[in-house]
Amino acid sequence: MEEATLTLYRVRLCGYYNEDDEHLFSSLADVMRGLARWTATLGSIGESSTYSVDEDADILRAFCLDIRELGNGRYLIVTWNELPRVDEGVQVLQVESQIGAAEISAVPVDALSLPGYPAFFCVDVRRHKVLNIRFDQRLNGSRQFQRFVSGFLTSFSESCVWNADDETELLGYSDEDGDDPEIAEGAVAKFATALVRVAGHTDHIRANCENIRKIVRRATIDPEVEAHKMFLDSAFQLAGMPINNRLRADIAFQYEFKTRLTPEKLDAVIGKHDENAEDTWDDVGFTLARESQKIYWLSGSVARNKAQLDVARSENGMVNIDSLEEYLGENLQRHLDSFDEH
């Protein structure tokens, strides 16, 4: 048995949209089927990253380790999430291995090895839900998963229409097959999830919006990300301390400030938190008038459970995908039903 953290998300955007954010075409079911077909054509995991990042990005690339259809409109997608450095206990992926047969080890990194961690996602296309399963890792890869699927829609889906004379030029997107598809004018590819929240907690915060007196922010600061480094340097200077350029490890940072919020501003804070939320230190809390000693954390309302999963591990220490697929085939519905959704 392995202990896992289960976090439930809802799919709030999926497919192609016009400039008014109205959905044009492509369903979650279409996207999952297309993603499975596309990965089947690739020669290696190294070809499966769907987006590029610059050197200052706070998240790096995600690759597809495997994708399995579980039946009843459900898919298991396993991603490999790149890390900027090799930390203790981090495994490495051989990027030339085949999708569905990943070679992962703890050997020293070379040019064809990629330090990172696996992330596990169950997509239920009928309920428009994504269940993230996190085992040992500190992060659950949800932000990379959104970028990965969005990148697929942007550049690799069957809806992409390319210039026949210049295969590097993307003309646009179409939901039609054929030699001369009609391109949807101004269509933009989008995929995004949001945390599912249990009833009560967030309602209480919203109901007391006018009584909020302080925001408390917890954030994980990575000194090797330029934007984070600038923030950290400013914090050191404000504290009267010299800037430390030797820091490499993440820093759990907390700050707070007095504020008053309108309902619109509060929704913006909650939305921003949900866009980037993972099962980490990062969080946003609120203190209310006459309750200065109590903090209402947004994470307290997240649909998140601990569970014991009967799965095996491979020799390299990673959760065996075959055993996870078998377990989910029998138990996924039970775990989905365990959440008291808002």
Side-chain angles (χ1 to χ4, degrees), residues 27-38:
S27 67
L28 182 57
D30 294 333
V31 173
M32 289 298 104
R33 286 193 293 266
L35 183 61
R37 287 193 292 265
W38 175 67

Side-chain angles (χ1 to χ4, degrees), residues 174-192:
S174 172
D175 63 344
E176 298 179 5
D177 297 325
D179 297 330
D180 189 22
E182 182 177 346
I183 298 174
E185 185 175 353
V188 177
K190 294 185 179 184
F191 179 83

Side-chain angles (χ1 to χ4, degrees), residues 65-226:
L65 286 186
D66 210 338
I67 180 169
R68 308 277 181 96
E69 187 171 359
L70 301 175
N72 296 318
R74 293 167 177 169
Y75 293 80
L76 170 63
I77 300 176
V78 185
T79 62
W80 184 262
N81 302 280
E82 183 180 13
L83 288 173
R85 55 184 177 271
V86 180
D87 295 321
E88 182 180 355
V90 170
Q91 300 161 313
V92 295
L93 163 72
Q94 298 296 323
V95 297
E96 290 188 327
S97 54
Q98 300 295 308
I99 292 175
E103 296 180 27
I104 298 170
S105 66
V107 298
V109 179
D110 58 37
L112 292 178
S113 299
L114 194 71
Y117 63 94
F120 305 87
F121 301 90
C122 294
V123 180
D124 187 331
V125 302
R126 295 184 301 178
R127 298 174 62 178
H128 277 234
K129 294 293 190 296
V130 177
L131 181 68
N132 171 263
I133 305 173
R134 183 178 66 84
F135 291 95
D136 316 274
Q137 289 72 32
R138 179 174 58 85
L139 301 172
N140 68 17
S142 62
R143 295 173 64 199
Q144 290 91 328
F145 178 71
Q146 291 183 77
R147 288 284 301 275
F148 174 77
V149 180
S150 178
F152 166 72
L153 286 169
T154 300
S155 302
F156 299 97
S157 83
E158 294 161 354
S159 293
C160 296
V161 180
W162 300 91
N163 188 337
D165 298 323
D166 181 0
E167 295 183 354
T168 65
E169 182 185 1
L170 179 65
L171 300 178
Y173 305 103
S174 172
D175 63 344
E176 298 179 5
D177 297 325
D179 297 330
D180 189 22
E182 182 177 346
I183 298 174
E185 185 175 353
V188 177
K190 294 185 179 184
F191 179 83
T193 63
L195 287 164
V196 171
R197 296 187 176 277
V198 296
H201 189 97
T202 309
D203 286 347
H204 181 72
I205 294 174
R206 285 195 168 100
N208 285 275
C209 179
E210 63 181 20
N211 295 321
I212 292 174
R213 295 294 181 265
K214 185 189 296 182
I215 285 183
V216 185
R217 178 73 166 97
R218 288 177 172 175
T220 302
I221 304 300
D222 184 347
E224 296 191 340
V225 174
E226 182 63 29

Side-chain angles (χ1 to χ4, degrees), residues 14 18 126 146 155 159 238 250 264 273 283 304 331 338:
C14 183
N18 64 16
R126 295 184 301 178
Q146 291 183 77
S155 302
S159 293
L238 288 172
D250 291 348
E264 293 74 22
H273 171 266
D283 209 342
R304 180 176 291 137
N331 297 279
S338 69

